[in-house]
Amino acid sequence: MQPLADDASLADLQRYVITMETERGFTGQSVYEQTWRLMEEAGELARAVRKNKGQRALTGELIGSIDEELADTLIFACSIANRLGIDLSDAIRAKEALNETRSWPGTGPSVGGTIR
């Protein structure tokens, strides 16, 4: 499998995940199964963040790095989106358009798509 290009877009990443899952035999996994795996990866990300902050982990627990766990969560999010026919770039644009109409506690209306 070709590595993901340095300048890959989100659409490129979604296509990469399709190829990766096909080559590794994961295409039979359901949305339900992939969602649970995403939740497991989110827990691993939380443990990696705790470790990075110097908080103790369970004895003998293997904890990946934050970047590894973020990558895993993104891969599973793409996997779920692919199974449901969702273009994540479109979904993010639509969600942010909605978020632009909201007010956030202590900030007033959001301005120019700034992350609060």
Side-chain angles (χ1 to χ4, degrees):
M1 183 163 85
Q2 293 283 25
L4 188 62
D6 289 342
D7 61 348
S9 67
L10 188 50
D12 293 333
L13 178 58
Q14 281 192 251
R15 285 188 294 272
Y16 177 86
V17 169
I18 290 169
T19 301
M20 180 259 306
E21 287 192 318
T22 300
E23 286 189 7
R24 296 179 187 171
F26 297 137
T27 56
Q29 303 295 315
S30 70
V31 169
Y32 176 84
E33 291 167 317
Q34 295 303 78
T35 300
W36 278 106
R37 288 186 176 90
L38 172 62
M39 295 300 99
E40 290 168 355
E41 292 299 339
E44 290 176 17
L45 172 59
R47 286 189 294 281
V49 169
R50 285 178 52 93
K51 176 184 170 187
N52 191 60
K53 292 288 285 179
Q55 296 177 335
R56 289 186 354 182
L58 297 174
T59 303
E61 182 178 37
L62 295 176
I63 300 174
S65 65
I66 292 173
D67 57 339
E68 290 171 338
E69 301 308 339
L70 280 169
D72 286 343
T73 58
L74 185 55
I75 288 167
F76 279 104
C78 287
S79 175
I80 294 164
N82 289 342
R83 282 166 173 71
L84 296 172
I86 295 170
D87 179 311
L88 284 174
S89 295
D90 289 345
I92 289 170
R93 281 190 287 277
K95 178 61 177 175
E96 278 303 295
L98 177 62
N99 286 343
E100 289 295 323
T101 68
R102 298 177 60 197
S103 293
W104 304 96
T107 64
S110 67
V111 177
T114 302
I115 297 174
R116 306 261 183 211

